Amino acid sequence: MADLQDDPYDTDSTAAVGDLDAPPSPPAPGTDPSTAPASAAERAGMLMAAYPVIDGHNSLAPTLLRRRGANHTHDLEQGETFLDTDMPRIRAGALGGQFWSLQVDAVEAREGGAVSTTLELIDLARDLIMSCPDSLRLALGAGDLADARNCGRVASFLGPVSGAAMGDSLATLRAFHFLGIRALALAGARWADDGLTRFGQEVVRELNRLGVVIDLSGASDETARATFAVTKAPAMFSHSAARALTDRPGDGDGDGNVPDEILSLLGANSGVCMVSFAPDRTTRDSGGPSVSDVADHVERVRDVAGQECVGLSGTYGHEADTPHTTGLEDASCYPRLITELLDRGWDDTAITDLTWGNAARVLRDTEFIARAAQQRRPASTATIEELDGARR
């Protein structure tokens, strides 16, 4: 049986992590009257050119896999109007990093096809990245963010994958990591249904050791609490919003917003909530949500969790006729939200933390903690049978 004790290292040591990917600081608005931006939109463009958006969740790969049965192909480089994501719109949106979601739906997970479907999604996503060598670059670590940006590419992280896709096997988790997976969602896994079982706790420790970001979007509140009690690395909500504004509890299948109590725990964990633009997470009345509603959610997360714990998640990657928030219909629209926040009085540091700095820090800290853990803890050989008395 694997050693089930908490790792002895101190997470406070993450303060020693060097800034591997700090972009050059843009000139402060107003320092040169001849070049100072004349509007919030121009200021947004200047800031995002130096600090592009790292987005927490794009579902293009599952969408394309679904359409593959109809012999559909997608030219991401040239773009097609029936989808909300392509390279022309990604460039217009000033995207610098993307987590490409490889999650399977709950029905498939329950029917036992999660592992094979996830492998298909990994294969599809890697092919997609390779098909756009002038636009995308596979990212396996924090340093790849800077490398990709310096080459004019979008750093592309594989994941989150579904916790159920592990097949209740830590060896499968390590195989996913070997294939490039860098984020895993706990929602939907039977060992993270309402809290964490002993095996679930071991999964969290192994994720820390590997340097895989823990995604809590859609997980129950009890699972989030239990995860914060175990993890040594910062966690992420890849596509959630503030439950105080839109009451959508987590259902364990990947949906749900985050209550203030959990946002406070996220702040203590130094994690990040990537605020979703999806209308079902941000609507606040009988009408459809707008850019202003999403900005309200961003500010609520900032006010409760802290400025260093909020990021962005367009939650794109769908057919164009899927409901979208008005003004944020596709991957070109991030500057509209940044302009709204600047109009509300956000300063340059708060904006660049939101777009780039906070997510980049979570990646750096996760990687740093993994290096420390690997010196103290071998790969776990624990099984769900011996820890939970459950059958695989």
PDB file of all heavy atoms in Angstrom, residues 12 18 36 47 77 90 112 115 127 129 159 164 178 185 208 221 224 248 302 309 327 336 338 365 375 380:
ATOM      1  N   ASP A  12       4.219  27.204   1.782  1.00  0.00           N
ATOM      2  CA  ASP A  12       4.666  28.590   1.815  1.00  0.00           C
ATOM      3  C   ASP A  12       5.919  28.791   0.972  1.00  0.00           C
ATOM      4  O   ASP A  12       6.245  29.900   0.577  1.00  0.00           O
ATOM      5  CB  ASP A  12       4.942  29.024   3.250  1.00  0.00           C
ATOM      6  CG  ASP A  12       3.651  29.196   4.037  1.00  0.00           C
ATOM      7  OD1 ASP A  12       2.591  29.315   3.404  1.00  0.00           O
ATOM      8  OD2 ASP A  12       3.735  29.209   5.273  1.00  0.00           O
ATOM      9  N   GLY A  18      10.369  31.558  -9.172  1.00  0.00           N
ATOM     10  CA  GLY A  18      10.690  32.695 -10.020  1.00  0.00           C
ATOM     11  C   GLY A  18       9.577  32.973 -11.006  1.00  0.00           C
ATOM     12  O   GLY A  18       8.820  32.092 -11.372  1.00  0.00           O
ATOM     13  N   ALA A  36      -0.864  58.114 -25.567  1.00  0.00           N
ATOM     14  CA  ALA A  36      -1.785  57.591 -24.557  1.00  0.00           C
ATOM     15  C   ALA A  36      -3.098  57.190 -25.208  1.00  0.00           C
ATOM     16  O   ALA A  36      -3.617  57.912 -26.073  1.00  0.00           O
ATOM     17  CB  ALA A  36      -2.048  58.644 -23.486  1.00  0.00           C
ATOM     18  N   LEU A  47      -3.134  46.766 -23.074  1.00  0.00           N
ATOM     19  CA  LEU A  47      -2.837  45.854 -21.970  1.00  0.00           C
ATOM     20  C   LEU A  47      -2.864  44.402 -22.423  1.00  0.00           C
ATOM     21  O   LEU A  47      -2.001  43.607 -22.044  1.00  0.00           O
ATOM     22  CB  LEU A  47      -3.840  46.072 -20.836  1.00  0.00           C
ATOM     23  CG  LEU A  47      -3.741  47.400 -20.088  1.00  0.00           C
ATOM     24  CD1 LEU A  47      -4.928  47.568 -19.151  1.00  0.00           C
ATOM     25  CD2 LEU A  47      -2.433  47.480 -19.317  1.00  0.00           C
ATOM     26  N   GLU A  77      -7.650  27.118 -38.639  1.00  0.00           N
ATOM     27  CA  GLU A  77      -6.822  28.245 -39.061  1.00  0.00           C
ATOM     28  C   GLU A  77      -7.618  29.255 -39.871  1.00  0.00           C
ATOM     29  O   GLU A  77      -7.499  30.464 -39.679  1.00  0.00           O
ATOM     30  CB  GLU A  77      -5.633  27.737 -39.870  1.00  0.00           C
ATOM     31  CG  GLU A  77      -4.559  28.781 -40.120  1.00  0.00           C
ATOM     32  CD  GLU A  77      -3.867  29.246 -38.844  1.00  0.00           C
ATOM     33  OE1 GLU A  77      -3.232  28.423 -38.166  1.00  0.00           O
ATOM     34  OE2 GLU A  77      -3.994  30.451 -38.526  1.00  0.00           O
ATOM     35  N   ILE A  90      -9.741  33.957 -32.247  1.00  0.00           N
ATOM     36  CA  ILE A  90      -8.803  33.850 -31.119  1.00  0.00           C
ATOM     37  C   ILE A  90      -7.801  34.997 -31.152  1.00  0.00           C
ATOM     38  O   ILE A  90      -7.490  35.605 -30.119  1.00  0.00           O
ATOM     39  CB  ILE A  90      -8.095  32.482 -31.156  1.00  0.00           C
ATOM     40  CG1 ILE A  90      -9.054  31.392 -30.645  1.00  0.00           C
ATOM     41  CG2 ILE A  90      -6.806  32.500 -30.340  1.00  0.00           C
ATOM     42  CD1 ILE A  90      -8.507  29.985 -30.770  1.00  0.00           C
ATOM     43  N   GLY A 112     -19.328   3.565 -19.035  1.00  0.00           N
ATOM     44  CA  GLY A 112     -18.026   2.913 -19.081  1.00  0.00           C
ATOM     45  C   GLY A 112     -17.149   3.276 -20.259  1.00  0.00           C
ATOM     46  O   GLY A 112     -16.108   2.632 -20.461  1.00  0.00           O
ATOM     47  N   VAL A 115     -12.800   6.299 -20.550  1.00  0.00           N
ATOM     48  CA  VAL A 115     -11.349   6.200 -20.791  1.00  0.00           C
ATOM     49  C   VAL A 115     -11.052   6.235 -22.283  1.00  0.00           C
ATOM     50  O   VAL A 115     -10.215   7.023 -22.752  1.00  0.00           O
ATOM     51  CB  VAL A 115     -10.785   4.922 -20.149  1.00  0.00           C
ATOM     52  CG1 VAL A 115      -9.287   4.805 -20.451  1.00  0.00           C
ATOM     53  CG2 VAL A 115     -11.018   4.917 -18.644  1.00  0.00           C
ATOM     54  N   ASP A 127      -3.812  16.595 -32.583  1.00  0.00           N
ATOM     55  CA  ASP A 127      -3.835  16.796 -34.031  1.00  0.00           C
ATOM     56  C   ASP A 127      -4.247  18.224 -34.380  1.00  0.00           C
ATOM     57  O   ASP A 127      -3.705  18.838 -35.307  1.00  0.00           O
ATOM     58  CB  ASP A 127      -4.802  15.806 -34.689  1.00  0.00           C
ATOM     59  CG  ASP A 127      -4.213  14.411 -34.818  1.00  0.00           C
ATOM     60  OD1 ASP A 127      -2.996  14.248 -34.595  1.00  0.00           O
ATOM     61  OD2 ASP A 127      -4.979  13.477 -35.131  1.00  0.00           O
ATOM     62  N   ILE A 129      -3.808  20.933 -32.577  1.00  0.00           N
ATOM     63  CA  ILE A 129      -2.686  21.834 -32.283  1.00  0.00           C
ATOM     64  C   ILE A 129      -1.607  21.714 -33.363  1.00  0.00           C
ATOM     65  O   ILE A 129      -1.076  22.718 -33.851  1.00  0.00           O
ATOM     66  CB  ILE A 129      -2.118  21.522 -30.890  1.00  0.00           C
ATOM     67  CG1 ILE A 129      -3.156  21.865 -29.809  1.00  0.00           C
ATOM     68  CG2 ILE A 129      -0.827  22.296 -30.640  1.00  0.00           C
ATOM     69  CD1 ILE A 129      -2.842  21.302 -28.437  1.00  0.00           C
ATOM     70  N   GLY A 159      -6.612  19.514 -21.247  1.00  0.00           N
ATOM     71  CA  GLY A 159      -7.385  19.323 -20.038  1.00  0.00           C
ATOM     72  C   GLY A 159      -8.198  20.568 -19.743  1.00  0.00           C
ATOM     73  O   GLY A 159      -8.017  21.621 -20.395  1.00  0.00           O
ATOM     74  N   ALA A 164     -13.724  10.794 -13.896  1.00  0.00           N
ATOM     75  CA  ALA A 164     -14.230   9.448 -14.184  1.00  0.00           C
ATOM     76  C   ALA A 164     -13.414   8.744 -15.264  1.00  0.00           C
ATOM     77  O   ALA A 164     -13.403   7.513 -15.347  1.00  0.00           O
ATOM     78  CB  ALA A 164     -15.694   9.527 -14.603  1.00  0.00           C
ATOM     79  N   PHE A 178       1.502  11.596 -18.913  1.00  0.00           N
ATOM     80  CA  PHE A 178       2.536  11.324 -19.909  1.00  0.00           C
ATOM     81  C   PHE A 178       2.093  11.800 -21.294  1.00  0.00           C
ATOM     82  O   PHE A 178       2.916  12.272 -22.093  1.00  0.00           O
ATOM     83  CB  PHE A 178       2.848   9.824 -19.932  1.00  0.00           C
ATOM     84  CG  PHE A 178       3.893   9.439 -20.940  1.00  0.00           C
ATOM     85  CD1 PHE A 178       5.236   9.638 -20.677  1.00  0.00           C
ATOM     86  CD2 PHE A 178       3.527   8.883 -22.163  1.00  0.00           C
ATOM     87  CE1 PHE A 178       6.205   9.292 -21.617  1.00  0.00           C
ATOM     88  CE2 PHE A 178       4.486   8.532 -23.101  1.00  0.00           C
ATOM     89  CZ  PHE A 178       5.835   8.733 -22.830  1.00  0.00           C
ATOM     90  N   ALA A 185     -10.657  17.335 -13.795  1.00  0.00           N
ATOM     91  CA  ALA A 185     -11.862  17.768 -13.085  1.00  0.00           C
ATOM     92  C   ALA A 185     -12.347  16.640 -12.181  1.00  0.00           C
ATOM     93  O   ALA A 185     -12.491  15.496 -12.620  1.00  0.00           O
ATOM     94  CB  ALA A 185     -12.947  18.141 -14.085  1.00  0.00           C
ATOM     95  N   ASN A 208      -1.067  16.446  -7.131  1.00  0.00           N
ATOM     96  CA  ASN A 208      -0.038  17.368  -6.643  1.00  0.00           C
ATOM     97  C   ASN A 208       1.349  16.896  -7.043  1.00  0.00           C
ATOM     98  O   ASN A 208       2.200  17.698  -7.462  1.00  0.00           O
ATOM     99  CB  ASN A 208      -0.104  17.490  -5.129  1.00  0.00           C
ATOM    100  CG  ASN A 208      -1.256  18.323  -4.597  1.00  0.00           C
ATOM    101  OD1 ASN A 208      -1.433  18.449  -3.394  1.00  0.00           O
ATOM    102  ND2 ASN A 208      -2.065  18.889  -5.478  1.00  0.00           N
ATOM    103  N   ASP A 221     -20.031  21.234  -3.008  1.00  0.00           N
ATOM    104  CA  ASP A 221     -19.356  22.081  -2.024  1.00  0.00           C
ATOM    105  C   ASP A 221     -18.534  21.240  -1.052  1.00  0.00           C
ATOM    106  O   ASP A 221     -17.421  21.628  -0.667  1.00  0.00           O
ATOM    107  CB  ASP A 221     -20.386  22.913  -1.250  1.00  0.00           C
ATOM    108  CG  ASP A 221     -21.145  23.880  -2.137  1.00  0.00           C
ATOM    109  OD1 ASP A 221     -20.720  24.089  -3.293  1.00  0.00           O
ATOM    110  OD2 ASP A 221     -22.171  24.418  -1.671  1.00  0.00           O
ATOM    111  N   ALA A 224     -15.316  20.248  -2.667  1.00  0.00           N
ATOM    112  CA  ALA A 224     -14.380  21.382  -2.693  1.00  0.00           C
ATOM    113  C   ALA A 224     -13.730  21.564  -1.330  1.00  0.00           C
ATOM    114  O   ALA A 224     -12.502  21.737  -1.241  1.00  0.00           O
ATOM    115  CB  ALA A 224     -15.109  22.650  -3.124  1.00  0.00           C
ATOM    116  N   ARG A 248     -26.690  28.587  -8.903  1.00  0.00           N
ATOM    117  CA  ARG A 248     -26.601  27.334  -9.650  1.00  0.00           C
ATOM    118  C   ARG A 248     -25.664  26.405  -8.890  1.00  0.00           C
ATOM    119  O   ARG A 248     -24.452  26.407  -9.109  1.00  0.00           O
ATOM    120  CB  ARG A 248     -26.085  27.589 -11.067  1.00  0.00           C
ATOM    121  CG  ARG A 248     -26.103  26.340 -11.958  1.00  0.00           C
ATOM    122  CD  ARG A 248     -25.532  26.645 -13.334  1.00  0.00           C
ATOM    123  NE  ARG A 248     -25.453  25.437 -14.131  1.00  0.00           N
ATOM    124  CZ  ARG A 248     -26.403  25.024 -14.967  1.00  0.00           C
ATOM    125  NH1 ARG A 248     -27.482  25.749 -15.120  1.00  0.00           N
ATOM    126  NH2 ARG A 248     -26.250  23.913 -15.659  1.00  0.00           N
ATOM    127  N   ARG A 302     -13.609  38.509  -7.324  1.00  0.00           N
ATOM    128  CA  ARG A 302     -12.475  39.307  -6.851  1.00  0.00           C
ATOM    129  C   ARG A 302     -12.688  39.789  -5.417  1.00  0.00           C
ATOM    130  O   ARG A 302     -11.785  39.697  -4.578  1.00  0.00           O
ATOM    131  CB  ARG A 302     -12.288  40.516  -7.762  1.00  0.00           C
ATOM    132  CG  ARG A 302     -11.178  41.470  -7.324  1.00  0.00           C
ATOM    133  CD  ARG A 302     -11.370  42.858  -7.893  1.00  0.00           C
ATOM    134  NE  ARG A 302     -12.633  43.452  -7.453  1.00  0.00           N
ATOM    135  CZ  ARG A 302     -13.067  44.652  -7.844  1.00  0.00           C
ATOM    136  NH1 ARG A 302     -12.349  45.382  -8.686  1.00  0.00           N
ATOM    137  NH2 ARG A 302     -14.231  45.124  -7.410  1.00  0.00           N
ATOM    138  N   CYS A 309      -7.059  35.858  -7.361  1.00  0.00           N
ATOM    139  CA  CYS A 309      -7.718  34.552  -7.497  1.00  0.00           C
ATOM    140  C   CYS A 309      -8.851  34.558  -8.514  1.00  0.00           C
ATOM    141  O   CYS A 309      -9.746  33.709  -8.457  1.00  0.00           O
ATOM    142  CB  CYS A 309      -8.256  34.094  -6.136  1.00  0.00           C
ATOM    143  SG  CYS A 309      -6.964  33.787  -4.920  1.00  0.00           S
ATOM    144  N   GLY A 327     -22.989  40.065 -26.410  1.00  0.00           N
ATOM    145  CA  GLY A 327     -21.741  40.819 -26.414  1.00  0.00           C
ATOM    146  C   GLY A 327     -20.513  39.964 -26.239  1.00  0.00           C
ATOM    147  O   GLY A 327     -19.386  40.436 -26.437  1.00  0.00           O
ATOM    148  N   ARG A 336     -14.118  43.195 -25.017  1.00  0.00           N
ATOM    149  CA  ARG A 336     -15.325  43.913 -24.586  1.00  0.00           C
ATOM    150  C   ARG A 336     -15.482  43.856 -23.068  1.00  0.00           C
ATOM    151  O   ARG A 336     -15.871  44.837 -22.437  1.00  0.00           O
ATOM    152  CB  ARG A 336     -16.559  43.317 -25.265  1.00  0.00           C
ATOM    153  CG  ARG A 336     -16.585  43.490 -26.770  1.00  0.00           C
ATOM    154  CD  ARG A 336     -17.802  42.849 -27.384  1.00  0.00           C
ATOM    155  NE  ARG A 336     -17.800  42.946 -28.840  1.00  0.00           N
ATOM    156  CZ  ARG A 336     -18.676  42.339 -29.639  1.00  0.00           C
ATOM    157  NH1 ARG A 336     -19.639  41.599 -29.096  1.00  0.00           N
ATOM    158  NH2 ARG A 336     -18.595  42.479 -30.942  1.00  0.00           N
ATOM    159  N   ILE A 338     -12.980  43.384 -20.897  1.00  0.00           N
ATOM    160  CA  ILE A 338     -11.898  44.168 -20.307  1.00  0.00           C
ATOM    161  C   ILE A 338     -12.220  45.664 -20.391  1.00  0.00           C
ATOM    162  O   ILE A 338     -11.971  46.423 -19.441  1.00  0.00           O
ATOM    163  CB  ILE A 338     -10.560  43.855 -21.008  1.00  0.00           C
ATOM    164  CG1 ILE A 338     -10.237  42.362 -20.899  1.00  0.00           C
ATOM    165  CG2 ILE A 338      -9.437  44.690 -20.410  1.00  0.00           C
ATOM    166  CD1 ILE A 338     -10.283  41.814 -19.485  1.00  0.00           C
ATOM    167  N   ASP A 365       3.069  27.635  -9.577  1.00  0.00           N
ATOM    168  CA  ASP A 365       3.080  27.081  -8.227  1.00  0.00           C
ATOM    169  C   ASP A 365       2.797  25.586  -8.239  1.00  0.00           C
ATOM    170  O   ASP A 365       3.399  24.818  -7.478  1.00  0.00           O
ATOM    171  CB  ASP A 365       2.050  27.805  -7.358  1.00  0.00           C
ATOM    172  CG  ASP A 365       2.472  29.230  -7.006  1.00  0.00           C
ATOM    173  OD1 ASP A 365       3.585  29.632  -7.424  1.00  0.00           O
ATOM    174  OD2 ASP A 365       1.706  29.929  -6.331  1.00  0.00           O
ATOM    175  N   GLN A 375      10.499  14.670  -4.931  1.00  0.00           N
ATOM    176  CA  GLN A 375      11.708  14.347  -4.178  1.00  0.00           C
ATOM    177  C   GLN A 375      11.389  13.635  -2.869  1.00  0.00           C
ATOM    178  O   GLN A 375      12.269  13.026  -2.271  1.00  0.00           O
ATOM    179  CB  GLN A 375      12.490  15.637  -3.887  1.00  0.00           C
ATOM    180  CG  GLN A 375      13.001  16.331  -5.139  1.00  0.00           C
ATOM    181  CD  GLN A 375      13.673  17.649  -4.826  1.00  0.00           C
ATOM    182  OE1 GLN A 375      13.890  17.995  -3.660  1.00  0.00           O
ATOM    183  NE2 GLN A 375      14.003  18.408  -5.864  1.00  0.00           N
ATOM    184  N   SER A 380       2.260   6.766  -6.316  1.00  0.00           N
ATOM    185  CA  SER A 380       1.379   5.974  -5.461  1.00  0.00           C
ATOM    186  C   SER A 380       0.918   4.711  -6.178  1.00  0.00           C
ATOM    187  O   SER A 380       0.546   4.738  -7.358  1.00  0.00           O
ATOM    188  CB  SER A 380       0.155   6.796  -5.055  1.00  0.00           C
ATOM    189  OG  SER A 380      -0.751   6.004  -4.325  1.00  0.00           O
TER     190      SER A 380
END
